[in-house]
Amino acid sequence: MKLEERLEQLKEQVQSDDFLKARGLGNEVPFWIFDYPPNKELLIRDTILKISSSLEKRSINVLILDLYEICLELIESKIKLQQIDQFEKKKGPDELLKKLKLMLKPEILKYAIQAKMDSSGNFQMIFLTGIGKAWPMVRSHSILNNLQPVSGNIPLIAFYPGRYSGFDLSLFGKFKDANYYRAFRLISVGTDP
């Protein structure tokens, strides 16, 4: 199935009462992964905005969380960008990545996301974007695992630039992540996306 067909199905599915009320999941967390070819990132970004706008017209509010933007906000709240540049020049990119990963521990991100959720008012769905942009500072499995307790029964769709087999993720179709995910694949492709 072509990506465009999957996106049309996505638009229909997220508007259904069963999806919004997380019915038919057998008490599982309503986490979904929509995987897509990384070279279609701009199409996905545009589609996310269109879907969100369309849902809003039906009084269904979507909270769009860009993981990368959240990471930047956290980093900038702790250290000035100029200091980051100086640190990288002095210690190198590998040491900078280690430092950034410490600043972006899953627990810290969980609280930042919880704060965004608390300040966003009433929403019925969460779109998690920016996963590819946040890599390698943040791993998607750690975020998904940590969001389960804070999202409650609100459907969450993680837009993932890569492949999801239903068991493990492969970011950009290159980097395997053998962690188990309590998430469902949203809109099956039949073959690779």
Side-chain angles (χ1 to χ4, degrees):
M1 178 183 313
K2 291 182 179 179
L3 179 62
E4 291 77 9
E5 294 171 313
R6 292 180 66 223
L7 288 170
E8 284 303 315
Q9 286 186 12
L10 171 68
K11 290 175 192 176
E12 291 174 24
Q13 188 164 345
V14 297
Q15 295 182 54
S16 75
D17 280 341
D18 285 346
F19 184 85
L20 290 166
K21 294 184 175 148
R23 285 189 224 145
L25 297 178
N27 292 325
E28 286 289 334
V29 179
F31 279 16
W32 302 89
I33 294 176
F34 186 87
D35 56 347
Y36 59 90
N39 65 345
K40 299 294 187 180
E41 180 68 29
L42 296 179
L43 172 63
I44 295 298
R45 288 181 196 177
D46 185 52
T47 302
I48 287 169
L49 295 176
K50 287 178 181 174
I51 291 173
S52 177
S53 177
S54 173
L55 288 169
E56 193 175 294
K57 289 175 185 170
R58 296 187 62 226
S59 298
I60 301 167
N61 297 318
V62 178
L63 174 60
I64 300 175
L65 297 171
D66 185 317
L67 188 57
Y68 180 71
E69 294 298 325
I70 293 169
C71 290
L72 286 182
E73 288 172 17
L74 283 169
I75 292 167
E76 290 174 356
S77 73
K78 296 177 183 181
I79 189 169
K80 292 182 176 29
L81 292 177
Q82 191 175 35
Q83 292 172 302
I84 293 172
D85 188 45
Q86 291 169 353
F87 184 91
E88 184 177 21
K89 286 177 183 173
K90 186 176 180 181
K91 303 268 187 172
D94 291 338
E95 287 302 312
L96 175 61
L97 181 57
K98 285 180 192 175
K99 185 172 182 77
L100 294 176
K101 284 183 176 183
L102 286 173
M103 296 168 79
L104 299 170
K105 287 181 181 176
E107 281 294 311
I108 294 169
L109 277 165
K110 177 176 91 170
Y111 291 122
I113 290 170
Q114 178 70 58
K116 287 202 175 289
M117 291 169 67
D118 292 345
S119 68
S120 294
N122 185 27
F123 55 91
Q124 293 80 29
M125 190 178 317
I126 301 168
F127 287 175
L128 183 64
T129 66
I131 292 171
K133 295 185 293 183
W135 185 87
M137 296 182 297
V138 176
R139 304 291 297 267
S140 51
H141 78 274
S142 63
I143 299 306
L144 291 175
N145 289 337
N146 277 282
L147 284 181
Q148 290 174 1
V150 298
S151 65
N153 205 35
I154 298 170
L156 179 144
I157 301 173
F159 289 87
Y160 189 80
R163 292 188 194 114
Y164 181 48
S165 71
F167 301 103
D168 58 11
L169 292 166
S170 175
L171 188 66
F172 310 127
K174 296 180 181 190
F175 303 103
K176 292 258 185 215
D177 195 348
N179 293 290
Y180 174 71
Y181 297 89
R182 289 183 65 190
F184 301 95
R185 187 177 205 187
L186 190 60
I187 315 298
S188 186
V189 293
T191 61
D192 288 339

